[in-house]
Structure formats: C-alpha cells, structure tokens
Amino acid sequence: MNPLPIDHPELANGLTNHEPMVVSALNELGASELTVRRYQQHTQAKLQPITEPPTDISDDTVLQGWLGRQTNYSGLYRYFYQQTQRYPLDDLLNRYLPGLADGLTSRAFHPLIRLGHAVHDRNNEEVAAALAYWVWAYQPLPYPNEDQPANKTPAEVFPTLLDSVDWPDESIDGGPLISDDFLAVTRLLPYQQLRFQLRPQQLELGALSQLAIQAYWMHDNFTLLHGVTGSLAIARLSQWLERPAVLLEPYWKGLVIAWLSTGLRWQEQEWPNEPPRLSVEQLRQRATQTMNDHPIKLVAACLNFYQHSGEVLYLHCAERAVHKTLS
C-alpha cells in the first residue's frame, strides 16, 4: 500500500499549510533539531487532517480530469507517490511540469514553492505532495485578449506597465486569498488594455528574479514576497528540466499579476550597494528564532540568492524581514 498524506496542503480557512516548506527552510538555515520541533509543535494545532478517502487514479489521462477540482487530494498524492517510485526525478518533472506550468500562480505560487523545497531536499513524499497540491489547486490565468509579443525586457515593461491605463490605486480585493485577488485582476476591464507579453528570447530567469526582489524591496508588500520565494523554486526546478523556459512565461505573467493586484506603482530609486548591518550568520540565527512562516522562507531564499549572485539587496530584504518579525 502506498503511503497517504496525514495533513491537507491547506488549513481549514483555505490558507496554505506552510509547515513542510518552513521545516525545509529551517534546515537550510541550519536550525537545530530542537528549533524545528518547536516550530512543528507551534503549527500542529492549525493543520487540517485529511478525512476524505482517496479515489484511485489509474493513469495520466484520468489525472487530467482532476485538474483544479480541489478534491481527492489523497488520491492525487497516492498517484504521484507511485510515479516517484516509477520515474527518476528529472523524468518525473519533465513529464508533469510542462502541463502544469500555466497554473504556476495557483494558490499564490505555493504549490510551486513547495515543490521547489521538495526537489531541493530530494524528498519523494514531498515531491508527491507538492505535485498533488498543484493539480488540486490548478488555476491558469489568461493574458489580455489583444496582447502581442514585444521585443522588450521585463525591466523595460514593468516600470511603465500602467502609464497609459486607468488602474486602481488600491489593492484588488477578490476574496480572502491572494489567489482570489489574482483572478480578480484578470477580470478587470483595464486589464484587457495592458500589453506585457514578451517574446521568449526576452525572458531570462536572472532578470525576472531581480525584478521580483526589487519590487519587494520597494514596497515591502506581502503579496510581492511570494514572487521572491517563487523565484527560488523556479531556479531549483529549472535545473532538472529539458526546457527550463517552460516555466518562465507563466512566472513572468505571475509577477505582473501579483504586482497589479497590489495597486502599487514603480518608484525609481537607488538600490543598496553596501551590505546591511547584520552578517549572513546573524540573519540565519535571527530567522530561526521566529515562528513566522513567510519570513523564514524569505530569508532562506534571500541568502541562497545572495550566495549565488552576491547581490546585497537580498541581504537588505532579509534584514528588514527579521527586524520586522522580531520587533
């Protein structure tokens, strides 16, 4: 018998269960076993046990029928766990991610982020859980109907995106979840007037990651935080894909829609070029002191990006997050 998940990927209020992702991030930050157990005990009461019996899925054709239905999570998990035993990780990801990529923004990037942690940890049970969550929550978002590909870079499009559009100055309230706001953005009449589709050769992960961290630093916005942790997941998954570009267009679209949902505007500014007061080790230690899901994952992502890029803006974002959380 294949194992079944104990906890649902979402809490009873519809918010994402961050526990497995945070445990992964804490381990990456070098947290002690005691700290990890303390976090798990802190979150245990919020987790939603699975009571729905699984409906078996026989093959990929049947799997397609479960896309976005938000039911049978345990059956989806069981199927994907079987697939992790059947295929090596690279074959598994190349088999399923191209078909799921258009739903990359589902549940505010969280299935994507969970899969990024799972792949980094080489944890088959978590890979199955994340893929099952992605199918369960799958919700692709459309481009504007008349959007045409442009020979511009993301950095050229983003700051001027709203220059000729009457866009709301307040955040878009589509419902209790960030993903509700994303969907509400695509239903606004001004959205159809936007032009932001880029030609494939203009999409590059480094540029998109830089855009995500700059937007987050600029406004310290909770929604935009997910673009940063999502970019690390994209980077980790892309290493396994035969066509890494399959994730870039949906990720770019997700960054734009996340930005639009906030009602914020681009502000030209000087970016920090000197390290912050806290050292990398101090940032690690302080991040592990908090029981707050998102700052822990954010700091882990920022330190990872800093290690690979040397871009001090990531350290400044990490420092701000720990100060804000521990104050």
Side-chain angles (χ1 to χ4, degrees):
M1 178 67 68
N2 299 114
L4 290 174
I6 298 173
D7 299 314
H8 198 274
E10 295 191 346
L11 309 180
N13 59 5
L15 298 178
T16 294
N17 168 14
H18 291 87
E19 191 264 351
M21 295 177 275
V22 175
V23 168
S24 173
L26 284 171
N27 286 326
E28 193 171 346
L29 290 167
S32 67
E33 292 184 10
L34 179 61
T35 297
V36 173
R37 287 199 302 271
R38 183 166 61 95
Y39 169 78
Q40 290 174 311
Q41 291 168 357
H42 172 75
T43 60
Q44 189 61 46
K46 297 186 294 184
L47 301 183
Q48 181 180 199
I50 293 178
T51 57
E52 179 185 33
T55 298
D56 286 338
I57 298 170
S58 58
D59 54 42
D60 286 352
T61 300
V62 175
L63 177 69
Q64 289 292 314
W66 291 100
L67 280 173
R69 288 175 57 180
Q70 297 184 28
T71 188
N72 194 31
Y73 175 73
S74 56
L76 292 166
Y77 174 91
R78 174 179 284 176
Y79 182 72
F80 278 117
Y81 184 80
Q82 291 170 348
Q83 300 301 77
T84 67
Q85 305 306 296
R86 182 178 180 183
Y87 299 106
L89 184 58
D90 55 347
D91 289 348
L92 184 80
L93 296 177
N94 280 288
R95 184 179 184 89
Y96 292 109
L97 286 189
L100 293 173
D102 281 348
L104 182 148
T105 54
S106 301
R107 286 308 199 260
F109 301 101
H110 284 119
L112 164 75
I113 295 167
R114 185 167 180 174
L115 184 60
H117 280 286
V119 167
H120 177 260
D121 297 340
R122 304 289 186 89
N123 184 327
N124 278 349
E125 292 186 1
E126 269 300 295
V127 168
L131 287 171
Y133 188 21
W134 200 326
V135 171
W136 185 92
Y138 179 80
Q139 184 181 65
L141 298 174
Y143 272 128
N145 292 335
E146 303 302 323
D147 200 8
Q148 297 295 323
N151 287 316
K152 295 182 179 181
T153 66
E156 291 171 329
V157 171
F158 217 71
T160 61
L161 183 65
L162 299 177
D163 282 358
S164 59
V165 178
D166 183 18
W167 194 261
D169 290 323
E170 66 280 351
S171 60
I172 308 302
D173 185 7
L177 305 177
I178 293 175
S179 54
D180 296 329
D181 300 340
F182 288 1
L183 185 59
V185 163
T186 68
R187 292 172 173 169
L188 293 180
L189 181 59
Y191 179 75
Q192 296 301 330
Q193 302 167 7
L194 294 173
R195 300 290 175 266
F196 61 86
Q197 187 176 2
L198 301 178
R199 298 188 188 281
Q201 61 269 27
Q202 302 298 333
L203 290 170
E204 189 269 325
L205 181 56
L208 294 177
S209 299
Q210 185 74 6
L211 196 62
I213 195 65
Q214 288 179 343
Y216 174 64
W217 172 252
M218 188 181 301
H219 289 291
D220 192 14
N221 178 269
F222 180 67
T223 294
L224 300 180
L225 178 153
H226 294 79
V228 179
T229 48
S231 65
L232 179 60
I234 296 284
R236 287 173 166 171
L237 296 176
S238 295
Q239 298 173 20
W240 296 88
L241 296 179
E242 296 171 1
R243 294 188 302 111
V246 73
L247 297 178
L248 295 185
E249 187 173 22
Y251 176 55
W252 159 245
K253 181 169 63 174
L255 289 179
V256 172
I257 291 175
W259 176 257
L260 293 173
S261 75
T262 66
L264 298 169
R265 300 297 188 274
W266 191 266
Q267 299 172 357
E268 294 297 337
Q269 59 184 272
E270 295 290 331
W271 308 107
N273 53 26
E274 296 293 334
R277 182 176 61 85
L278 296 180
S279 68
V280 169
E281 184 55 35
Q282 287 174 316
L283 291 170
R284 290 182 188 276
Q285 291 175 356
R286 297 198 182 190
T288 59
Q289 292 172 13
T290 174
M291 294 290 101
N292 197 317
D293 300 336
H294 288 90
I296 292 171
K297 292 190 297 172
L298 175 73
V299 172
C302 285
L303 295 187
N304 184 285
F305 276 119
Y306 172 72
Q307 179 183 0
H308 288 90
S309 70
E311 173 57 66
V312 298
L313 183 58
Y314 287 104
L315 297 184
H316 283 276
C317 287
E319 183 182 60
R320 183 176 66 185
V322 297
H323 281 325
K324 185 176 179 180
T325 304
L326 295 176
S327 63

